[in-house]
Amino acid sequence: EAGVTQFPSHSVIEKGQTVTLRCDPISGHDNLYWYRRVMGKEIKFLLHFVKESKQDESGMPNNRFLAERTGGTYSTLKVQPAELEDSGVYFCASSQKTGQQYFGPGTRLTVT
Amino acid sequence: AQTVTQSQPEMSVQEAETVTLSCTYDTSESDYYLFWYKQPPSRQMILVIRQEAYKQQNATENRFSVNFQKAAKSFSLKISDSQLGDAAMYFCAYTPMFMYSGGGADGLTFGKGTHLIIQP
């Protein structure tokens, strides 16, 4: 069984540019989560999808971040325009209805 | 708001010895889950062990065990017979039970992590 995958593994962009991160959950997992870890700080929850619906997006930092999960399969997280403080590692996780969360390898975003 | 605190940014242990990683948390909930996740270098984060707050018995998974002190809101991880493959970042995490089991569990609250070094 394939695990959670994320693309790209690393992205370097300039301030003001746009970046889109992608997460492919484990097949059959309705729940999909996005987290972010800024250097030296905790991993912070960003939002949670149940299928294609946003269950909780209370962790999204601001309106420069847009997450989608069309069709309830893969998800994208777009940052537009990117700021320096957006640098960090973005993790995606998925789970079955009441199961543990399985994490992807993360996307390291560097904004210069 | 719930918080999770890992006070040890880095720990080092000799191979085959035992090490304990500390974690404290703050919550007003009575029912919740606690987790230890491990992230090896350049690899995915994986679940090491899970503890349900309503269970008094400490969870154990092979060489990994926890010391769960609910009143003290403490949840330490003990790794026995440390192996080189145990070298990783270890994260303590929390979620309220009603969220975790409710078919739409919300996100985990994590600590900052402890970098565990295994000395050969």
Side-chain angles (χ1 to χ4, degrees):
Chain A
E1 178 185 84
V4 177
T5 58
Q6 292 186 245
F7 182 83
S9 58
H10 192 185
S11 179
V12 181
I13 61 172
E14 294 183 353
K15 176 182 173 181
Q17 290 185 323
T18 297
V19 63
T20 300
L21 314 181
R22 173 170 170 147
C23 168
D24 285 78
I26 293 173
S27 177
H29 282 194
D30 288 342
N31 293 283
L32 187 149
Y33 308 82
W34 283 99
Y35 295 87
R36 175 174 75 172
R37 185 183 187 209
V38 174
M39 182 65 70
K41 296 193 174 182
E42 298 89 342
I43 300 170
K44 290 285 192 183
F45 164 77
L46 297 179
L47 88 159
H48 167 215
F49 285 99
V50 177
K51 297 184 180 179
E52 67 276 8
S53 300
K54 292 177 184 175
Q55 177 80 3
D56 178 4
E57 53 183 330
S58 60
M60 294 287 264
N62 51 61
N63 59 11
R64 295 184 295 102
F65 289 75
L66 175 64
E68 294 180 321
R69 192 183 182 196
T70 306
T73 54
Y74 71 91
S75 174
T76 58
L77 179 63
K78 182 162 71 173
V79 185
Q80 178 183 34
E83 299 289 344
L84 296 178
E85 63 265 25
D86 300 333
S87 294
V89 181
Y90 290 77
F91 294 101
C92 174
S94 73
S95 74
Q96 294 176 322
K97 187 173 183 180
T98 57
Q100 73 177 70
Q101 294 184 29
Y102 294 84
F103 281 80
T107 293
R108 181 174 297 278
L109 175 64
T110 303
V111 183
T112 62
Chain B
Q2 299 92 358
T3 59
V4 176
T5 302
Q6 293 179 250
S7 59
Q8 305 153 316
E10 186 172 279
M11 292 282 284
S12 181
V13 64
Q14 290 289 128
E15 192 176 5
E17 293 187 345
T18 294
V19 64
T20 298
L21 309 184
S22 66
C23 173
T24 58
Y25 59 94
D26 188 26
T27 181
S28 58
E29 302 291 339
S30 58
D31 294 322
Y32 47 86
Y33 287 95
L34 294 163
F35 308 85
W36 278 98
Y37 278 88
K38 164 187 177 181
Q39 186 179 26
S42 302
R43 296 187 63 183
Q44 268 141 295
M45 193 152 49
I46 57 173
L47 180 66
V48 174
I49 201 165
R50 181 182 86 175
Q51 175 79 43
E52 292 88 343
Y54 65 87
K55 291 185 178 179
Q56 293 190 349
Q57 186 174 8
N58 289 325
T60 299
E61 288 287 341
N62 301 312
R63 296 182 295 105
F64 297 86
S65 62
V66 298
N67 182 6
F68 173 49
Q69 301 290 328
K70 190 173 184 179
K73 295 181 180 175
S74 171
F75 182 61
S76 61
L77 174 70
K78 185 171 83 171
I79 306 173
S80 304
D81 185 26
S82 299
Q83 300 175 1
L84 294 178
D86 295 334
M89 282 292 293
Y90 285 80
F91 295 96
C92 180
Y94 158 100
T95 194
M97 180 178 287
F98 72 88
M99 292 180 176
Y100 187 84
S101 302
D106 275 350
L108 302 170
T109 299
F110 283 91
K112 288 186 179 182
T114 296
H115 181 209
L116 179 62
I117 299 168
I118 310 296
Q119 306 277 9

